[in-house]
Amino acid sequence: MKTMKLFLAVVLMACSLGSHAADKDSYSVVYTAHGDFEFIRDAIAAAVEGQGLKINHFNKISAMLDNTAAAVGTTRKIYLNAEQIEFCSAIVSRQMMEADPHSVAMCPYIISIYNLPADPKTIYVSYRKPPVVSSPKSRAAFRAEEKLLDSIIKEGIQ
C-alpha cells in the first residue's frame, strides 16, 4: 500500500508539469500552461533572452491564417492566438553542424505559443522534436538542443 501511494505521488507530480505529446510518434513536444496568452508569450521570450540568446523574429501565425482565410475559401478560426519565437544558439548550432553540416535545416529553433478559441486560458507551448539520428555526435547535439528548449519553456511557464 505504501509503495502504491508513493507511485501515485510520483505520477501526480509528473502530470503537474503540464507536458504531453500526442503519442510516441509525435513530431512535437507540447507543454500546457494556464493564464494570459501575452503574459506567457512574453515570459517565454524573456526566458530565451535570459539564456543570452537573441530572438530573430516573432512569427504571427494566427494573424497570417486569419488574413488569408477568405483567399483559401474558409472561415474556420483555428487559433485564438498563435505566435512563434524564432532564435538560435551559436554554441548548440555549431555543435550540431560540426557533427553534421546538413543539420543546418534544424536551425533556427522555434518555440510556438498558442491558444484555441474553445479554451482561451489554456496556453500551449511547443517545439519540434529533434530527428532520430545514428551519429553519436549528432545525437549529443540534438539532446543539447532539446535540453535548451525544455529549460526555456519550463522557465517561461512557471
Side-chain angles (χ1 to χ4, degrees), residues 15-70:
C15 290
S16 70
L17 289 176
S19 172
H20 74 277
D23 58 43
K24 69 180 177 86
D25 296 325
S26 179
Y27 54 86
S28 65
V29 175
V30 180
Y31 287 85
T32 57
H34 296 280
D36 179 70
F37 174 83
E38 287 82 11
F39 180 84
I40 292 172
R41 180 207 53 215
D42 292 347
I44 297 293
V48 169
E49 292 171 340
Q51 293 281 332
L53 305 172
K54 182 184 178 306
I55 294 172
N56 299 331
H57 193 70
F58 285 86
N59 300 316
K60 309 287 188 180
I61 303 303
S62 58
M64 179 274 299
L65 290 171
D66 292 345
N67 291 337
T68 60

Side-chain angles (χ1 to χ4, degrees), residues 76-93:
R76 180 174 172 229
K77 186 162 184 68
I78 301 169
Y79 302 104
L80 189 58
N81 300 284
E83 294 187 25
Q84 295 174 324
I85 300 175
E86 184 181 294
F87 62 98
C88 215
S89 163
I91 294 168
V92 176
S93 294

